[in-house]
PDB file of all heavy atoms in Angstrom:
ATOM      1  N   ALA A 100      39.350 126.803  46.444  1.00  0.00           N
ATOM      2  CA  ALA A 100      40.339 126.995  45.382  1.00  0.00           C
ATOM      3  C   ALA A 100      41.182 128.243  45.636  1.00  0.00           C
ATOM      4  O   ALA A 100      42.383 128.251  45.342  1.00  0.00           O
ATOM      5  CB  ALA A 100      39.644 127.089  44.032  1.00  0.00           C
ATOM      6  N   GLU A 101      40.589 129.295  46.185  1.00  0.00           N
ATOM      7  CA  GLU A 101      41.326 130.526  46.472  1.00  0.00           C
ATOM      8  C   GLU A 101      42.389 130.298  47.543  1.00  0.00           C
ATOM      9  O   GLU A 101      43.512 130.792  47.441  1.00  0.00           O
ATOM     10  CB  GLU A 101      40.375 131.641  46.911  1.00  0.00           C
ATOM     11  CG  GLU A 101      39.469 132.145  45.805  1.00  0.00           C
ATOM     12  CD  GLU A 101      38.239 131.264  45.595  1.00  0.00           C
ATOM     13  OE1 GLU A 101      37.910 130.439  46.484  1.00  0.00           O
ATOM     14  OE2 GLU A 101      37.623 131.381  44.541  1.00  0.00           O
ATOM     15  N   GLU A 102      42.029 129.540  48.598  1.00  0.00           N
ATOM     16  CA  GLU A 102      43.005 129.236  49.652  1.00  0.00           C
ATOM     17  C   GLU A 102      44.138 128.365  49.121  1.00  0.00           C
ATOM     18  O   GLU A 102      45.307 128.583  49.456  1.00  0.00           O
ATOM     19  CB  GLU A 102      42.317 128.526  50.823  1.00  0.00           C
ATOM     20  CG  GLU A 102      41.446 129.417  51.660  1.00  0.00           C
ATOM     21  CD  GLU A 102      40.756 128.646  52.752  1.00  0.00           C
ATOM     22  OE1 GLU A 102      40.123 127.614  52.455  1.00  0.00           O
ATOM     23  OE2 GLU A 102      40.861 129.082  53.912  1.00  0.00           O
ATOM     24  N   VAL A 103      43.786 127.369  48.310  1.00  0.00           N
ATOM     25  CA  VAL A 103      44.809 126.492  47.726  1.00  0.00           C
ATOM     26  C   VAL A 103      45.745 127.302  46.845  1.00  0.00           C
ATOM     27  O   VAL A 103      46.967 127.136  46.901  1.00  0.00           O
ATOM     28  CB  VAL A 103      44.144 125.334  46.943  1.00  0.00           C
ATOM     29  CG1 VAL A 103      45.173 124.545  46.170  1.00  0.00           C
ATOM     30  CG2 VAL A 103      43.376 124.428  47.888  1.00  0.00           C
ATOM     31  N   GLU A 104      45.185 128.220  46.052  1.00  0.00           N
ATOM     32  CA  GLU A 104      46.013 129.063  45.178  1.00  0.00           C
ATOM     33  C   GLU A 104      46.967 129.929  45.998  1.00  0.00           C
ATOM     34  O   GLU A 104      48.158 130.010  45.706  1.00  0.00           O
ATOM     35  CB  GLU A 104      45.103 129.951  44.321  1.00  0.00           C
ATOM     36  CG  GLU A 104      45.837 130.905  43.416  1.00  0.00           C
ATOM     37  CD  GLU A 104      46.332 130.257  42.145  1.00  0.00           C
ATOM     38  OE1 GLU A 104      45.841 129.194  41.764  1.00  0.00           O
ATOM     39  OE2 GLU A 104      47.242 130.849  41.521  1.00  0.00           O
ATOM     40  N   LYS A 105      46.433 130.567  47.031  1.00  0.00           N
ATOM     41  CA  LYS A 105      47.223 131.525  47.809  1.00  0.00           C
ATOM     42  C   LYS A 105      48.282 130.860  48.689  1.00  0.00           C
ATOM     43  O   LYS A 105      49.414 131.337  48.764  1.00  0.00           O
ATOM     44  CB  LYS A 105      46.285 132.356  48.684  1.00  0.00           C
ATOM     45  CG  LYS A 105      46.974 133.416  49.495  1.00  0.00           C
ATOM     46  CD  LYS A 105      45.971 134.244  50.278  1.00  0.00           C
ATOM     47  CE  LYS A 105      46.661 135.307  51.093  1.00  0.00           C
ATOM     48  NZ  LYS A 105      45.693 136.097  51.877  1.00  0.00           N
ATOM     49  N   PHE A 106      47.927 129.755  49.344  1.00  0.00           N
ATOM     50  CA  PHE A 106      48.822 129.172  50.333  1.00  0.00           C
ATOM     51  C   PHE A 106      49.626 127.967  49.839  1.00  0.00           C
ATOM     52  O   PHE A 106      50.574 127.556  50.504  1.00  0.00           O
ATOM     53  CB  PHE A 106      48.026 128.763  51.581  1.00  0.00           C
ATOM     54  CG  PHE A 106      47.420 129.927  52.300  1.00  0.00           C
ATOM     55  CD1 PHE A 106      46.049 130.119  52.305  1.00  0.00           C
ATOM     56  CD2 PHE A 106      48.223 130.837  52.959  1.00  0.00           C
ATOM     57  CE1 PHE A 106      45.484 131.198  52.967  1.00  0.00           C
ATOM     58  CE2 PHE A 106      47.666 131.919  53.630  1.00  0.00           C
ATOM     59  CZ  PHE A 106      46.296 132.099  53.627  1.00  0.00           C
ATOM     60  N   VAL A 107      49.255 127.396  48.694  1.00  0.00           N
ATOM     61  CA  VAL A 107      49.965 126.210  48.201  1.00  0.00           C
ATOM     62  C   VAL A 107      50.560 126.452  46.813  1.00  0.00           C
ATOM     63  O   VAL A 107      51.766 126.322  46.615  1.00  0.00           O
ATOM     64  CB  VAL A 107      49.045 124.964  48.192  1.00  0.00           C
ATOM     65  CG1 VAL A 107      49.789 123.763  47.621  1.00  0.00           C
ATOM     66  CG2 VAL A 107      48.547 124.658  49.586  1.00  0.00           C
ATOM     67  N   THR A 108      49.715 126.790  45.849  1.00  0.00           N
ATOM     68  CA  THR A 108      50.168 126.882  44.460  1.00  0.00           C
ATOM     69  C   THR A 108      51.214 127.975  44.272  1.00  0.00           C
ATOM     70  O   THR A 108      52.280 127.726  43.689  1.00  0.00           O
ATOM     71  CB  THR A 108      48.976 127.116  43.517  1.00  0.00           C
ATOM     72  OG1 THR A 108      48.022 126.070  43.718  1.00  0.00           O
ATOM     73  CG2 THR A 108      49.420 127.124  42.079  1.00  0.00           C
ATOM     74  N   ILE A 109      50.924 129.174  44.750  1.00  0.00           N
ATOM     75  CA  ILE A 109      51.864 130.287  44.550  1.00  0.00           C
ATOM     76  C   ILE A 109      53.199 130.044  45.252  1.00  0.00           C
ATOM     77  O   ILE A 109      54.255 130.254  44.635  1.00  0.00           O
ATOM     78  CB  ILE A 109      51.209 131.622  44.959  1.00  0.00           C
ATOM     79  CG1 ILE A 109      50.092 131.945  43.965  1.00  0.00           C
ATOM     80  CG2 ILE A 109      52.230 132.745  45.006  1.00  0.00           C
ATOM     81  CD1 ILE A 109      49.259 133.163  44.317  1.00  0.00           C
ATOM     82  N   PRO A 110      53.227 129.574  46.525  1.00  0.00           N
ATOM     83  CA  PRO A 110      54.539 129.286  47.127  1.00  0.00           C
ATOM     84  C   PRO A 110      55.346 128.211  46.389  1.00  0.00           C
ATOM     85  O   PRO A 110      56.573 128.319  46.276  1.00  0.00           O
ATOM     86  CB  PRO A 110      54.197 128.833  48.550  1.00  0.00           C
ATOM     87  CG  PRO A 110      52.895 129.479  48.849  1.00  0.00           C
ATOM     88  CD  PRO A 110      52.163 129.499  47.539  1.00  0.00           C
ATOM     89  N   VAL A 111      54.670 127.192  45.856  1.00  0.00           N
ATOM     90  CA  VAL A 111      55.397 126.153  45.106  1.00  0.00           C
ATOM     91  C   VAL A 111      55.918 126.731  43.789  1.00  0.00           C
ATOM     92  O   VAL A 111      57.056 126.452  43.389  1.00  0.00           O
ATOM     93  CB  VAL A 111      54.509 124.910  44.872  1.00  0.00           C
ATOM     94  CG1 VAL A 111      55.203 123.926  43.937  1.00  0.00           C
ATOM     95  CG2 VAL A 111      54.191 124.240  46.189  1.00  0.00           C
ATOM     96  N   GLU A 112      55.114 127.567  43.119  1.00  0.00           N
ATOM     97  CA  GLU A 112      55.584 128.217  41.894  1.00  0.00           C
ATOM     98  C   GLU A 112      56.804 129.084  42.172  1.00  0.00           C
ATOM     99  O   GLU A 112      57.762 129.085  41.394  1.00  0.00           O
ATOM    100  CB  GLU A 112      54.476 129.074  41.287  1.00  0.00           C
ATOM    101  CG  GLU A 112      53.392 128.300  40.605  1.00  0.00           C
ATOM    102  CD  GLU A 112      52.318 129.217  40.053  1.00  0.00           C
ATOM    103  OE1 GLU A 112      52.306 130.424  40.357  1.00  0.00           O
ATOM    104  OE2 GLU A 112      51.472 128.704  39.299  1.00  0.00           O
ATOM    105  N   ILE A 113      56.782 129.833  43.261  1.00  0.00           N
ATOM    106  CA  ILE A 113      57.922 130.682  43.610  1.00  0.00           C
ATOM    107  C   ILE A 113      59.153 129.833  43.892  1.00  0.00           C
ATOM    108  O   ILE A 113      60.266 130.171  43.475  1.00  0.00           O
ATOM    109  CB  ILE A 113      57.569 131.582  44.818  1.00  0.00           C
ATOM    110  CG1 ILE A 113      56.529 132.624  44.391  1.00  0.00           C
ATOM    111  CG2 ILE A 113      58.812 132.255  45.388  1.00  0.00           C
ATOM    112  CD1 ILE A 113      55.930 133.406  45.548  1.00  0.00           C
ATOM    113  N   ALA A 114      58.971 128.702  44.569  1.00  0.00           N
ATOM    114  CA  ALA A 114      60.101 127.811  44.854  1.00  0.00           C
ATOM    115  C   ALA A 114      60.660 127.183  43.582  1.00  0.00           C
ATOM    116  O   ALA A 114      61.850 126.866  43.511  1.00  0.00           O
ATOM    117  CB  ALA A 114      59.673 126.722  45.829  1.00  0.00           C
ATOM    118  N   MET A 115      59.833 127.014  42.542  1.00  0.00           N
ATOM    119  CA  MET A 115      60.268 126.393  41.289  1.00  0.00           C
ATOM    120  C   MET A 115      60.841 127.393  40.291  1.00  0.00           C
ATOM    121  O   MET A 115      61.340 126.993  39.238  1.00  0.00           O
ATOM    122  CB  MET A 115      59.104 125.642  40.633  1.00  0.00           C
ATOM    123  CG  MET A 115      58.625 124.442  41.407  1.00  0.00           C
ATOM    124  SD  MET A 115      59.900 123.187  41.588  1.00  0.00           S
ATOM    125  CE  MET A 115      60.176 123.247  43.342  1.00  0.00           C
ATOM    126  N   ASN A 116      60.795 128.681  40.577  1.00  0.00           N
ATOM    127  CA  ASN A 116      61.335 129.684  39.646  1.00  0.00           C
ATOM    128  C   ASN A 116      62.808 129.484  39.300  1.00  0.00           C
ATOM    129  O   ASN A 116      63.195 129.694  38.157  1.00  0.00           O
ATOM    130  CB  ASN A 116      61.090 131.094  40.170  1.00  0.00           C
ATOM    131  CG  ASN A 116      59.717 131.598  39.827  1.00  0.00           C
ATOM    132  OD1 ASN A 116      59.092 131.136  38.892  1.00  0.00           O
ATOM    133  ND2 ASN A 116      59.237 132.552  40.599  1.00  0.00           N
ATOM    134  N   PRO A 117      63.678 129.069  40.240  1.00  0.00           N
ATOM    135  CA  PRO A 117      65.098 128.899  39.875  1.00  0.00           C
ATOM    136  C   PRO A 117      65.416 127.667  39.023  1.00  0.00           C
ATOM    137  O   PRO A 117      66.558 127.471  38.637  1.00  0.00           O
ATOM    138  CB  PRO A 117      65.813 128.784  41.219  1.00  0.00           C
ATOM    139  CG  PRO A 117      64.850 129.185  42.251  1.00  0.00           C
ATOM    140  CD  PRO A 117      63.497 129.016  41.680  1.00  0.00           C
ATOM    141  N   VAL A 118      64.422 126.834  38.731  1.00  0.00           N
ATOM    142  CA  VAL A 118      64.673 125.627  37.927  1.00  0.00           C
ATOM    143  C   VAL A 118      65.246 126.034  36.572  1.00  0.00           C
ATOM    144  O   VAL A 118      64.731 126.918  35.908  1.00  0.00           O
ATOM    145  CB  VAL A 118      63.369 124.817  37.752  1.00  0.00           C
ATOM    146  CG1 VAL A 118      63.563 123.708  36.745  1.00  0.00           C
ATOM    147  CG2 VAL A 118      62.917 124.250  39.070  1.00  0.00           C
ATOM    148  N   GLN A 119      66.320 125.370  36.173  1.00  0.00           N
ATOM    149  CA  GLN A 119      67.003 125.708  34.925  1.00  0.00           C
ATOM    150  C   GLN A 119      66.397 124.946  33.749  1.00  0.00           C
ATOM    151  O   GLN A 119      65.884 123.847  33.899  1.00  0.00           O
ATOM    152  CB  GLN A 119      68.477 125.380  35.043  1.00  0.00           C
ATOM    153  CG  GLN A 119      69.167 126.168  36.124  1.00  0.00           C
ATOM    154  CD  GLN A 119      70.609 125.738  36.289  1.00  0.00           C
ATOM    155  OE1 GLN A 119      71.078 124.803  35.661  1.00  0.00           O
ATOM    156  NE2 GLN A 119      71.318 126.441  37.150  1.00  0.00           N
ATOM    157  N   ASN A 120      66.501 125.546  32.572  1.00  0.00           N
ATOM    158  CA  ASN A 120      66.088 124.941  31.301  1.00  0.00           C
ATOM    159  C   ASN A 120      64.598 124.630  31.228  1.00  0.00           C
ATOM    160  O   ASN A 120      64.191 123.699  30.544  1.00  0.00           O
ATOM    161  CB  ASN A 120      66.892 123.666  31.009  1.00  0.00           C
ATOM    162  CG  ASN A 120      68.360 123.936  30.905  1.00  0.00           C
ATOM    163  OD1 ASN A 120      68.774 124.914  30.296  1.00  0.00           O
ATOM    164  ND2 ASN A 120      69.158 123.081  31.509  1.00  0.00           N
ATOM    165  N   LYS A 121      63.774 125.395  31.921  1.00  0.00           N
ATOM    166  CA  LYS A 121      62.339 125.164  31.819  1.00  0.00           C
ATOM    167  C   LYS A 121      61.765 126.033  30.698  1.00  0.00           C
ATOM    168  O   LYS A 121      62.236 127.133  30.453  1.00  0.00           O
ATOM    169  CB  LYS A 121      61.632 125.432  33.140  1.00  0.00           C
ATOM    170  CG  LYS A 121      61.536 126.877  33.539  1.00  0.00           C
ATOM    171  CD  LYS A 121      60.719 127.010  34.821  1.00  0.00           C
ATOM    172  CE  LYS A 121      60.622 128.448  35.225  1.00  0.00           C
ATOM    173  NZ  LYS A 121      61.613 128.901  36.138  1.00  0.00           N
ATOM    174  N   ILE A 122      60.770 125.507  30.024  1.00  0.00           N
ATOM    175  CA  ILE A 122      60.081 126.246  28.975  1.00  0.00           C
ATOM    176  C   ILE A 122      58.887 126.967  29.573  1.00  0.00           C
ATOM    177  O   ILE A 122      58.663 128.132  29.309  1.00  0.00           O
ATOM    178  CB  ILE A 122      59.631 125.306  27.841  1.00  0.00           C
ATOM    179  CG1 ILE A 122      60.844 124.734  27.133  1.00  0.00           C
ATOM    180  CG2 ILE A 122      58.735 126.033  26.857  1.00  0.00           C
ATOM    181  CD1 ILE A 122      60.506 123.696  26.092  1.00  0.00           C
ATOM    182  N   SER A 123      58.109 126.244  30.368  1.00  0.00           N
ATOM    183  CA  SER A 123      56.939 126.866  30.974  1.00  0.00           C
ATOM    184  C   SER A 123      56.607 126.227  32.307  1.00  0.00           C
ATOM    185  O   SER A 123      57.001 125.095  32.593  1.00  0.00           O
ATOM    186  CB  SER A 123      55.727 126.765  30.042  1.00  0.00           C
ATOM    187  OG  SER A 123      55.295 125.431  29.948  1.00  0.00           O
ATOM    188  N   LEU A 124      55.870 126.978  33.103  1.00  0.00           N
ATOM    189  CA  LEU A 124      55.383 126.518  34.398  1.00  0.00           C
ATOM    190  C   LEU A 124      53.902 126.886  34.433  1.00  0.00           C
ATOM    191  O   LEU A 124      53.562 128.061  34.373  1.00  0.00           O
ATOM    192  CB  LEU A 124      56.151 127.209  35.521  1.00  0.00           C
ATOM    193  CG  LEU A 124      55.868 126.711  36.923  1.00  0.00           C
ATOM    194  CD1 LEU A 124      57.170 126.607  37.681  1.00  0.00           C
ATOM    195  CD2 LEU A 124      54.914 127.602  37.643  1.00  0.00           C
ATOM    196  N   ARG A 125      53.050 125.880  34.490  1.00  0.00           N
ATOM    197  CA  ARG A 125      51.598 126.102  34.470  1.00  0.00           C
ATOM    198  C   ARG A 125      50.981 125.456  35.691  1.00  0.00           C
ATOM    199  O   ARG A 125      51.414 124.394  36.140  1.00  0.00           O
ATOM    200  CB  ARG A 125      50.990 125.513  33.203  1.00  0.00           C
ATOM    201  CG  ARG A 125      51.518 126.180  31.970  1.00  0.00           C
ATOM    202  CD  ARG A 125      50.938 125.576  30.740  1.00  0.00           C
ATOM    203  NE  ARG A 125      51.510 126.252  29.573  1.00  0.00           N
ATOM    204  CZ  ARG A 125      51.393 125.813  28.360  1.00  0.00           C
ATOM    205  NH1 ARG A 125      50.733 124.714  28.119  1.00  0.00           N
ATOM    206  NH2 ARG A 125      51.928 126.482  27.356  1.00  0.00           N
ATOM    207  N   SER A 126      49.944 126.100  36.215  1.00  0.00           N
ATOM    208  CA  SER A 126      49.320 125.566  37.420  1.00  0.00           C
ATOM    209  C   SER A 126      47.807 125.645  37.340  1.00  0.00           C
ATOM    210  O   SER A 126      47.244 126.457  36.606  1.00  0.00           O
ATOM    211  CB  SER A 126      49.806 126.334  38.644  1.00  0.00           C
ATOM    212  OG  SER A 126      49.396 127.685  38.565  1.00  0.00           O
ATOM    213  N   THR A 127      47.179 124.773  38.120  1.00  0.00           N
ATOM    214  CA  THR A 127      45.740 124.748  38.266  1.00  0.00           C
ATOM    215  C   THR A 127      45.421 124.525  39.735  1.00  0.00           C
ATOM    216  O   THR A 127      46.005 123.643  40.363  1.00  0.00           O
ATOM    217  CB  THR A 127      45.115 123.599  37.444  1.00  0.00           C
ATOM    218  OG1 THR A 127      45.515 123.736  36.090  1.00  0.00           O
ATOM    219  CG2 THR A 127      43.615 123.601  37.533  1.00  0.00           C
ATOM    220  N   SER A 128      44.517 125.337  40.267  1.00  0.00           N
ATOM    221  CA  SER A 128      44.073 125.179  41.638  1.00  0.00           C
ATOM    222  C   SER A 128      42.571 124.953  41.648  1.00  0.00           C
ATOM    223  O   SER A 128      41.822 125.738  41.083  1.00  0.00           O
ATOM    224  CB  SER A 128      44.399 126.426  42.467  1.00  0.00           C
ATOM    225  OG  SER A 128      45.775 126.644  42.509  1.00  0.00           O
TER     226      SER A 128
END
C-alpha cells in the first residue's frame, strides 16, 4: 500500500489538481 500510495496515487492526484469545478478529490491506496 505504501508503494502504491507513493508511486501511483500521489502522482495521479497531482495530475488531477488542475481539474476545474471539482468539490473534492479523495483517494484510497
Side-chain angles (χ1 to χ4, degrees):
E101 291 82 16
E102 287 178 309
V103 172
E104 178 81 19
K105 182 177 180 181
F106 295 111
V107 178
T108 304
I109 292 174
V111 172
E112 285 179 350
I113 291 170
M115 293 298 113
N116 276 337
V118 171
Q119 298 175 356
N120 300 317
K121 72 176 180 267
I122 294 174
S123 69
L124 187 138
R125 297 179 181 168
S126 64
T127 304
S128 299

